Amino acid sequence: MSVRQVVGVVFGAALLLSAAPAAGAQAGRHEELTIHRIGRLTADGTLTLSGTYRCHGGGGPVFVSSSVSQGDSRVSHGVGGTLAVCDGSEHRWTNSETRRGAYHPGRAHAGATLMELGATGLPLPTFHVVRQREVRLVED
């Protein structure tokens, strides 16, 4: 299974559990996740979201996943995933997804999750940080 497929499966689980983001969150760690207020759109339909993160190492791989909804708030699309480096330093993340005609310039709602896959047994996600914010999509 490719990293993209794993991130897609994990992101789906994150969406299902996003109603209770505190469940499974890492307590007592200073970890951060931001979403930049501007998302970029290209002529071929590629949407790019970005931000920063800071996390501390765990037992399994950690990812920054992101999503966006525009128009109908009940419909959200995953926007890629980035493997995170959890060394306590601040890092930049950038996720992109191409969906021709799915997005247009203007307001949108973005979400991002910093999550870790368990290192033993079934790789269940542990949520380190969950963020949401309004963004503006602009043409590049």
Side-chain angles (χ1 to χ4, degrees):
M1 183 178 275
S2 72
V3 170
R4 186 181 189 119
Q5 290 170 318
V6 169
V7 170
V9 168
V10 172
F11 184 71
L15 286 176
L16 291 174
L17 297 173
S18 66
Q26 296 290 321
R29 294 185 179 183
H30 180 69
E31 298 185 316
E32 301 170 357
L33 177 63
T34 68
I35 304 168
H36 291 151
R37 64 182 185 84
I38 302 293
R40 304 284 180 191
L41 285 173
T42 61
D44 72 349
T46 300
L47 169 63
T48 301
L49 297 176
S50 62
T52 62
Y53 71 90
R54 177 188 317 268
C55 58
H56 302 280
V62 179
F63 296 91
V64 179
S65 63
S66 57
S67 65
V68 69
S69 64
Q70 195 174 37
D72 187 347
S73 63
R74 298 171 297 170
V75 178
S76 182
H77 297 281
V79 181
T82 301
L83 187 60
V85 176
C86 291
D87 59 4
S89 296
E90 184 175 278
H91 297 276
R92 180 177 164 86
W93 64 268
T94 302
N95 292 341
S96 296
E97 185 70 30
T98 302
R99 292 181 195 264
R100 187 174 295 277
Y103 312 111
H104 56 84
R107 291 180 50 170
H109 185 80
T113 304
L114 186 62
M115 70 183 127
E116 179 178 346
L117 291 179
T120 60
L122 185 61
L124 296 174
T126 299
F127 300 96
H128 289 251
V129 184
V130 176
R131 293 286 180 259
Q132 295 187 19
R133 78 169 299 167
E134 294 300 313
V135 297
R136 187 166 45 99
L137 303 183
V138 297
E139 291 179 327
D140 258 353

